[in-house]
Amino acid sequence: MSEAFGPWTLEQDGPLAVLTISKPPLNLFDREVDDGLHAAIRHVASERPRGLLLRAEGRVWTGGVDVNIFKELDPQSGGDLWRRGFELVQQIEDLPFPVVFAAHALCLTWGLEIALACDLLVAAEGAQFGLVEVRVGLTPSMGGPQRMAERAGPARARELVMTGDLYPASTMRDWGVVNMVWPDAEFEERSRALARRLADGPTVAHAATKRIIQAQKEGGARAADAIVPELSGALFATEDLKNAVASFLSDGPGKASYVGR
């Protein structure tokens, strides 16, 4: 069974939610895409699956933004659009389960900014990436520069944003932006398998990991240290940890299964 949110389709693959955009020919960002993604992420947040895979149909992940929407904007409405964008990006970051972004092909502007909010970004060998807003006199405004700087460093972020050039998946992997690159023919199967593997894992522990890393990003290692005892200590009450410890002691490592509690 699947649900539609404008051009987005949400399906369930066991514990994994799979959210797909299909708006031919280029999956361009417009009001319909924006409204649909907001609605879909709100739905996912309320349903609480154990993992989320973000993917696209078509020959590109996205060709970027429908530039026609910029003709309507002034400083006030432009600022409102980006504030709405940050609500979405931060909601994705705050989801209490792993989120995987699968880029099978060209992924520009808003698509890459969404990808940078996800826990893992995987790409097909033929994928390319770019924050090309400079071509219309804009800077990426849904978190791209700062999140690119977190992954690749400030110098690389400035290069990518200021040049507006396109970069292959292999370069983005070398920069630490993309986690894994797989052959095009294997990409769909392998990206879904990875997302499903994470969704099958200890969901509460994954949520703790996300919070610890976020604390480090915001306040450094000592800020993360301060929250670890409570977060990690609470895991000893989870069904998953108790069962995994028992499985480890009786059957050895790697045999446990998890239920997300």
Side-chain angles (χ1 to χ4, degrees), residues 210-225:
K210 292 182 66 163
R211 289 186 59 188
I212 291 166
I213 293 172
Q214 186 62 34
Q216 189 279 329
K217 287 164 56 178
E218 294 174 355
R222 292 296 180 94
D225 293 348

Side-chain angles (χ1 to χ4, degrees), residues 237-260:
T238 63
E239 185 176 340
D240 279 344
L241 186 148
K242 291 177 181 178
N243 289 343
V245 169
S247 173
F248 185 97
L249 294 174
S250 63
D251 304 319
K255 306 293 197 309
S257 58
Y258 301 98
V259 295

Side-chain angles (χ1 to χ4, degrees), residues 26-30 60-66 107-111 132:
L26 295 175
N27 295 332
L28 295 181
F29 179 91
D30 58 14
V60 301
W61 208 104
T62 177
V65 175
D66 182 349
C107 183
L108 300 181
T109 66
W110 74 276
V132 299

Side-chain angles (χ1 to χ4, degrees), residues 129-183:
F129 299 87
L131 294 173
V132 299
E133 287 86 345
V134 68
R135 299 182 186 181
V136 293
L138 186 64
T139 187
S141 301
M142 288 174 57
Q146 52 268 50
R147 284 164 179 79
M148 185 64 66
E150 283 181 346
R151 295 187 183 218
R156 292 299 191 190
R158 285 191 290 267
E159 175 190 337
L160 192 142
V161 172
M162 291 181 178
T163 64
D165 288 343
L166 301 184
Y167 293 81
S170 58
T171 296
M172 297 293 264
R173 178 189 56 202
D174 293 344
W175 287 7
V177 177
V178 167
N179 294 91
M180 302 166 194
V181 177
W182 294 311

Side-chain angles (χ1 to χ4, degrees), residues 71-107:
K71 295 190 299 185
E72 311 165 4
L73 301 178
D74 58 23
Q76 180 61 50
S77 58
D80 290 343
L81 176 64
W82 304 135
R83 277 184 282 272
R84 176 175 167 82
F86 279 118
E87 290 175 5
L88 175 66
V89 164
Q90 292 169 13
Q91 188 171 20
I92 292 171
E93 289 178 326
D94 291 343
L95 290 171
F97 42 77
V99 182
V100 176
F101 188 100
H104 71 290
L106 180 69
C107 183

